[in-house]
Amino acid sequence: MTIKDTPEQWEIRATETPFVGNKTSVRTDEVVMPDGSVVRRDYQVHPGSVGVLALDAEDRVLLIKQYRHPVRQKLWEIPAGLLDVPGENPLHAAQRELYEEAHVKAEDWRVLTDVYTTAGGCDEAVRIFLARDLSEADGQRFEVEDEEADMEHARVPVDELVRGVLAGELHNNCLVVGVLSLVAARGGDGLDALRPAQAPWPARPFEA
Protein backbone atom coordinates (compact mmCIF):
# COMPACT_ATOMS: atom_id res chain seq x y z
CA MET A 1 0.00 0.00 0.00
CA THR A 2 1.31 3.44 -0.94
CA ILE A 3 0.99 5.96 1.89
CA LYS A 4 0.07 9.09 -0.03
CA ASP A 5 -2.70 11.67 0.22
CA THR A 6 -5.13 11.49 -2.69
CA PRO A 7 -7.63 14.02 -4.11
CA GLU A 8 -11.33 13.24 -3.64
CA GLN A 9 -14.55 15.24 -3.91
CA TRP A 10 -17.73 14.19 -2.10
CA GLU A 11 -21.04 15.51 -3.40
CA ILE A 12 -22.09 18.93 -2.11
CA ARG A 13 -25.88 19.47 -2.14
CA ALA A 14 -25.78 23.15 -1.16
CA THR A 15 -23.28 25.80 -0.09
CA GLU A 16 -23.40 29.26 1.46
CA THR A 17 -20.95 31.83 2.81
CA PRO A 18 -22.34 33.26 6.06
CA PHE A 19 -19.24 35.37 6.80
CA VAL A 20 -16.77 37.23 4.60
CA GLY A 21 -13.77 38.86 6.25
CA ASN A 22 -10.82 40.94 5.08
CA LYS A 23 -8.65 37.99 4.02
CA THR A 24 -10.69 34.88 4.76
CA SER A 25 -14.32 33.75 4.87
CA VAL A 26 -16.45 31.00 6.39
CA ARG A 27 -18.30 28.55 4.15
CA THR A 28 -21.04 26.07 5.01
CA ASP A 29 -21.43 23.04 2.75
CA GLU A 30 -24.08 20.32 2.88
CA VAL A 31 -22.01 17.21 2.16
CA VAL A 32 -23.31 13.76 1.24
CA MET A 33 -21.77 11.05 3.44
CA PRO A 34 -20.98 7.49 2.24
CA ASP A 35 -24.22 6.19 3.79
CA GLY A 36 -26.29 8.77 1.90
CA SER A 37 -26.92 11.09 4.84
CA VAL A 38 -26.27 14.82 4.45
CA VAL A 39 -24.32 16.80 7.05
CA ARG A 40 -23.33 20.46 7.35
CA ARG A 41 -19.63 21.28 7.44
CA ASP A 42 -18.41 24.78 8.36
CA TYR A 43 -14.85 25.74 7.46
CA GLN A 44 -12.64 28.74 6.90
CA VAL A 45 -11.76 29.53 3.29
CA HIS A 46 -8.14 30.70 3.09
CA PRO A 47 -6.04 31.98 0.15
CA GLY A 48 -2.98 29.96 1.20
CA SER A 49 0.37 30.95 2.68
CA VAL A 50 4.11 30.60 2.36
CA GLY A 51 6.77 30.29 5.05
CA VAL A 52 10.54 30.68 4.81
CA LEU A 53 13.00 28.74 6.91
CA ALA A 54 16.04 30.94 6.27
CA LEU A 55 19.25 29.18 7.30
CA ASP A 56 22.48 31.17 7.59
CA ALA A 57 26.10 30.06 7.25
CA GLU A 58 26.36 29.47 11.02
CA ASP A 59 23.44 27.01 10.99
CA ARG A 60 21.07 29.49 12.58
CA VAL A 61 17.45 30.05 11.59
CA LEU A 62 16.14 33.57 11.10
CA LEU A 63 13.15 34.15 13.40
CA ILE A 64 10.67 36.88 14.15
CA LYS A 65 8.54 37.27 17.28
CA GLN A 66 5.04 38.59 16.72
CA TYR A 67 1.84 39.05 18.72
CA ARG A 68 -0.94 36.68 17.64
CA HIS A 69 -4.25 37.86 19.01
CA PRO A 70 -6.31 34.64 18.66
CA VAL A 71 -3.95 32.77 21.01
CA ARG A 72 -3.00 35.83 23.15
CA GLN A 73 0.71 35.14 22.82
CA LYS A 74 3.82 36.53 21.16
CA LEU A 75 5.15 33.64 19.11
CA TRP A 76 8.56 33.00 17.62
CA GLU A 77 7.96 32.29 13.93
CA ILE A 78 9.71 32.02 10.60
CA PRO A 79 8.90 34.75 8.04
CA ALA A 80 5.56 33.95 6.41
CA GLY A 81 2.64 35.54 4.66
CA LEU A 82 -0.51 35.14 2.61
CA LEU A 83 -0.76 34.42 -1.08
CA ASP A 84 -2.54 37.69 -1.66
CA VAL A 85 -2.95 37.35 -5.42
CA PRO A 86 -4.85 34.34 -6.88
CA GLY A 87 -2.42 32.14 -8.80
CA GLU A 88 0.59 33.99 -7.38
CA ASN A 89 3.90 32.16 -7.69
CA PRO A 90 4.64 30.97 -4.12
CA LEU A 91 8.40 31.44 -4.55
CA HIS A 92 7.90 35.10 -5.41
CA ALA A 93 5.63 35.50 -2.39
CA ALA A 94 8.22 33.84 -0.14
CA GLN A 95 10.98 36.10 -1.43
CA ARG A 96 8.76 39.10 -0.77
CA GLU A 97 8.01 38.01 2.81
CA LEU A 98 11.69 37.41 3.61
CA TYR A 99 12.48 40.90 2.35
CA GLU A 100 9.57 42.64 4.07
CA GLU A 101 9.87 40.93 7.45
CA ALA A 102 13.65 40.54 7.74
CA HIS A 103 15.23 42.69 4.98
CA VAL A 104 17.11 39.60 3.81
CA LYS A 105 17.54 37.92 0.42
CA ALA A 106 18.65 34.37 -0.39
CA GLU A 107 20.37 32.83 -3.41
CA ASP A 108 19.39 29.18 -2.86
CA TRP A 109 15.71 28.24 -2.59
CA ARG A 110 14.12 24.79 -2.25
CA VAL A 111 10.74 23.42 -1.16
CA LEU A 112 11.06 22.03 2.35
CA THR A 113 7.49 20.76 2.76
CA ASP A 114 3.81 21.43 1.96
CA VAL A 115 1.15 21.19 4.66
CA TYR A 116 -2.54 21.79 5.39
CA THR A 117 -2.49 23.60 8.73
CA THR A 118 -5.91 22.53 10.07
CA ALA A 119 -7.63 20.39 7.45
CA GLY A 120 -10.60 19.63 9.69
CA GLY A 121 -11.75 23.24 9.80
CA CYS A 122 -9.79 25.31 7.27
CA ASP A 123 -8.57 24.83 3.69
CA GLU A 124 -5.32 26.76 4.28
CA ALA A 125 -2.38 25.24 2.42
CA VAL A 126 1.17 26.35 3.29
CA ARG A 127 4.36 25.83 1.31
CA ILE A 128 7.47 26.08 3.48
CA PHE A 129 10.67 26.95 1.67
CA LEU A 130 14.27 26.44 2.72
CA ALA A 131 16.32 29.55 1.89
CA ARG A 132 20.14 29.53 2.07
CA ASP A 133 23.06 31.76 1.07
CA LEU A 134 21.58 34.71 2.93
CA SER A 135 22.59 38.35 2.70
CA GLU A 136 21.17 41.76 3.51
CA ALA A 137 18.63 42.97 0.98
CA ASP A 138 19.28 46.11 -1.04
CA GLY A 139 17.37 49.35 -0.61
CA GLN A 140 15.29 50.72 2.21
CA ARG A 141 13.59 48.53 4.78
CA PHE A 142 9.92 47.75 4.23
CA GLU A 143 7.65 49.98 6.33
CA VAL A 144 5.74 47.74 8.74
CA GLU A 145 2.47 48.42 10.57
CA ASP A 146 0.03 46.92 13.10
CA GLU A 147 1.41 43.79 14.84
CA GLU A 148 4.47 43.77 12.59
CA ALA A 149 5.57 47.13 13.99
CA ASP A 150 6.31 45.37 17.30
CA MET A 151 8.28 42.45 15.83
CA GLU A 152 11.52 41.19 17.33
CA HIS A 153 14.24 39.42 15.32
CA ALA A 154 16.73 36.69 16.20
CA ARG A 155 18.95 34.06 14.65
CA VAL A 156 18.79 30.82 16.61
CA PRO A 157 20.81 27.57 16.19
CA VAL A 158 18.84 24.66 14.75
CA ASP A 159 19.60 22.39 17.74
CA GLU A 160 18.22 24.99 20.15
CA LEU A 161 14.99 25.23 18.15
CA VAL A 162 14.54 21.46 18.11
CA ARG A 163 14.93 21.41 21.88
CA GLY A 164 12.37 24.21 22.23
CA VAL A 165 9.86 22.46 19.99
CA LEU A 166 10.09 19.16 21.88
CA ALA A 167 9.96 20.97 25.23
CA GLY A 168 6.66 22.62 24.29
CA GLU A 169 8.19 26.12 24.29
CA LEU A 170 7.69 26.90 20.58
CA HIS A 171 4.26 26.50 18.99
CA ASN A 172 4.08 28.22 15.62
CA ASN A 173 3.03 25.66 13.02
CA CYS A 174 5.42 26.73 10.26
CA LEU A 175 8.36 26.96 12.65
CA VAL A 176 7.72 23.52 14.16
CA VAL A 177 7.11 21.80 10.81
CA GLY A 178 9.95 23.63 9.11
CA VAL A 179 12.62 22.91 11.72
CA LEU A 180 11.71 19.25 12.14
CA SER A 181 11.53 18.81 8.35
CA LEU A 182 14.98 20.36 8.05
CA VAL A 183 16.41 17.87 10.54
CA ALA A 184 14.65 14.97 8.82
CA ALA A 185 15.94 16.03 5.40
CA ARG A 186 19.49 16.21 6.71
CA GLY A 187 19.15 12.71 8.15
CA GLY A 188 17.78 11.38 4.87
CA ASP A 189 18.94 12.21 1.35
CA GLY A 190 20.31 15.65 2.29
CA LEU A 191 19.16 19.21 1.65
CA ASP A 192 20.28 19.25 -1.97
CA ALA A 193 17.81 16.42 -2.67
CA LEU A 194 14.83 18.60 -1.68
CA ARG A 195 12.33 19.57 -4.37
CA PRO A 196 13.20 22.60 -6.52
CA ALA A 197 11.68 25.94 -5.58
CA GLN A 198 9.29 25.85 -8.56
CA ALA A 199 8.00 22.31 -7.84
CA PRO A 200 4.27 21.85 -8.66
CA TRP A 201 1.85 22.52 -5.80
CA PRO A 202 -1.58 20.99 -6.54
CA ALA A 203 -3.13 22.64 -3.46
CA ARG A 204 -2.40 26.10 -4.91
CA PRO A 205 -1.59 25.84 -8.64
CA PHE A 206 0.57 28.59 -10.05
CA GLU A 207 2.43 29.66 -13.18
CA ALA A 208 6.24 29.55 -12.97
Side-chain angles (χ1 to χ4, degrees):
M1 180 174 61
T2 301
I3 304 301
K4 181 179 180 180
D5 297 337
T6 55
E8 185 162 344
Q9 175 71 54
W10 289 7
E11 181 185 353
I12 298 173
R13 291 280 175 84
T15 186
E16 60 184 68
T17 305
F19 171 79
V20 177
N22 185 31
K23 298 291 185 181
T24 66
S25 60
V26 173
R27 183 175 297 162
T28 300
D29 290 342
E30 294 185 4
V31 186
V32 180
M33 297 289 105
D35 65 359
S37 62
V38 178
V39 301
R40 291 171 63 89
R41 291 289 179 259
D42 305 315
Y43 58 99
Q44 184 183 21
V45 178
H46 194 285
S49 307
V50 292
V52 184
L53 193 142
L55 188 67
D56 71 13
E58 298 176 43
D59 206 41
R60 301 176 302 175
V61 177
L62 191 157
L63 299 183
I64 59 175
K65 194 175 189 181
Q66 185 172 343
Y67 175 66
R68 294 301 188 183
H69 185 70
V71 296
R72 309 300 198 272
Q73 291 193 41
K74 291 187 75 173
L75 302 180
W76 283 109
E77 307 177 353
I78 59 176
L82 297 175
L83 291 169
D84 293 312
V85 181
E88 181 178 18
N89 187 307
L91 174 60
H92 299 165
Q95 292 169 332
R96 179 188 69 234
E97 292 301 331
L98 185 60
Y99 164 74
E100 291 182 356
E101 296 191 349
H103 200 67
V104 166
K105 62 181 180 180
E107 299 302 322
D108 187 284
W109 290 83
R110 296 176 188 272
V111 175
L112 192 52
T113 190
D114 298 324
V115 295
Y116 291 113
T117 55
T118 48
C122 180
D123 71 352
E124 181 183 15
V126 180
R127 168 157 282 188
I128 302 176
F129 289 90
L130 172 65
R132 294 181 291 176
D133 296 339
L134 309 182
S135 62
E136 283 289 308
D138 301 325
Q140 293 184 333
R141 286 186 171 272
F142 182 76
E143 195 167 319
V144 296
E145 59 185 10
D146 302 327
E147 289 92 343
E148 293 182 349
D150 189 49
M151 285 194 307
E152 303 173 45
H153 294 79
R155 295 194 181 202
V156 183
V158 172
D159 289 347
E160 184 176 334
L161 293 177
V162 172
R163 184 207 61 77
V165 168
L166 299 180
E169 299 169 355
L170 299 169
H171 306 89
N172 174 259
N173 184 290
C174 289
L175 172 60
V176 171
V177 171
V179 167
L180 297 186
S181 295
L182 173 71
V183 174
R186 281 177 167 172
D189 294 331
L191 300 184
D192 290 336
L194 290 168
R195 286 173 292 161
Q198 299 279 17
W201 189 17
R204 292 294 185 274
F206 63 94
E207 292 186 8

